[in-house]
Amino acid sequence: MIIVKTSEEIELMRESALIVSKTLGILAKEVKPGVTTLQLDKIAEEYIREQGAVPGFLGLYDFPNTLCMSPNDQVVHGFPTNEPLKEGDIISIDCGALKNGFYGDHAYTFAVGEIAPETKKLLQVTKESLYIGIREFKKGNRVGDVGYAIQKYCEDHGYGVVRELVGHGLGSKMHEDPEMPNYGKRGRGKKFIDGMVVAIEPMINMGTQRIKQHKDGWTITTLDNKPSAHFEHDVALVNGKPELLSTFAYIYDALGIDSNEEEEFRQKQFVL
């Protein structure tokens, strides 16, 4: 059952989402060769708690950390470790925060130093597909419209679209209805209505769409060990249109990137 949010609840969710966005912005300055993902995990937990929030992933389904840290061929759900990041790595950082009874859930794949051109293109296309999907999250459209748009864009670039892992509704629970696959057929699935909040999150592989789950019960890698990228935003349906609750602006500010990619998805002015 889809749980529709009031405008007041959406604003509380925006607060939770922005805590995650700011956390990712802080981590953006720290992602470099030689740093360990456990060090990044500690920074994130401390910052989230300083904001009066609770790490959304810590203890959820017994997950042991604040961040899901998934380097290179890991798709999602990787554990932070003591292994240092290396020049040329990529690292997907997925972060959650719970405040005022509502979750934020947000992800970005970072380059560690200089990365290979083909990997850079994977990150670019995956992030572009996120906004292509968000554009379809509008009143009267259906779940399949978002999935179809993401799938077509990524497959047209020769990439594999993961089937077993999906986006989701978001609210007082981390995972609510509806599931939001990154593939699908136009006009299929649940219809979008005002007050819905979803996490849209393309998980796109450089090679095969097929994945494997490791014995730890969490870590997911590509079957061919080629890189995978993951980007995620929290989006509310407001006045029939998608409204971003999260932002990459803090990441871009940290990295010196100039971008206006989010402007069309903001009905309210966003101030950094």
Side-chain angles (χ1 to χ4, degrees), residues 45-267:
E45 179 175 357
E46 289 176 354
Y47 179 76
I48 290 168
R49 293 192 187 280
E50 285 170 2
Q51 310 314 304
V54 176
F57 297 165
L58 184 62
L60 184 71
Y61 313 125
D62 295 324
F63 189 78
N65 296 97
T66 292
L67 302 174
C68 292
M69 306 289 277
S70 307
N72 301 320
D73 65 339
Q74 291 187 23
V75 183
V76 288
H77 302 163
F79 295 125
T81 71
N82 278 314
E83 186 174 343
L85 294 173
K86 302 186 300 295
E87 182 87 14
D89 284 346
I90 58 173
I91 179 76
S92 167
I93 303 182
D94 196 354
C95 180
L98 174 64
K99 187 174 183 181
N100 299 317
F102 290 97
Y103 282 95
D105 175 22
H106 188 24
Y108 193 91
T109 301
F110 294 89
V112 183
E114 284 298 317
I115 61 174
E118 60 268 25
T119 309
K120 190 177 292 187
K121 183 183 177 186
L122 171 68
L123 268 57
Q124 177 188 335
V125 170
T126 303
K127 184 157 65 71
E128 288 169 353
S129 79
L130 170 60
Y131 294 108
I132 285 168
I134 291 171
R135 206 168 283 131
E136 297 298 318
F137 181 59
K138 56 189 177 183
K139 193 172 182 179
N141 269 11
R142 295 180 181 270
V143 166
D145 295 305
V146 172
Y148 173 84
I150 293 171
Q151 178 185 7
K152 185 176 190 309
Y153 189 74
C154 293
E155 289 184 348
D156 282 353
H157 282 85
Y159 297 138
V161 179
V162 175
R163 299 300 200 270
E164 295 88 344
L165 305 160
V166 298
H168 50 90
L170 189 68
S172 60
K173 294 181 179 179
M174 176 65 76
H175 298 108
E176 296 184 354
D177 280 341
E179 289 191 344
M180 297 290 296
N182 297 305
Y183 62 94
K185 295 184 177 180
R186 288 198 177 279
R188 300 283 182 87
K190 293 183 178 180
K191 185 179 283 189
F192 300 138
I193 54 175
D194 273 336
M196 289 180 68
V197 180
V198 298
I200 298 175
E201 49 178 320
M203 290 157 275
I204 308 301
N205 301 341
M206 184 180 286
T208 179
Q209 69 187 42
R210 297 177 66 196
I211 59 174
K212 58 185 175 185
Q213 185 172 35
H214 291 235
K215 291 180 180 178
D216 61 24
W218 285 99
T219 308
I220 306 283
T221 56
T222 58
L223 196 62
D224 57 9
N225 301 121
K226 291 183 178 180
S228 182
H230 176 211
F231 292 86
E232 177 180 18
H233 269 313
D234 300 337
V235 196
L237 195 58
V238 179
N239 299 322
K241 298 177 182 178
E243 167 77 10
L244 276 184
L245 303 183
S246 54
T247 182
F248 293 149
Y250 297 101
I251 295 171
Y252 295 159
D253 186 56
L255 299 179
I257 296 171
D258 186 31
S259 172
N260 61 359
E261 67 191 14
E262 297 178 0
E263 285 183 10
E264 67 178 286
F265 307 112
R266 296 208 180 278
Q267 298 177 45

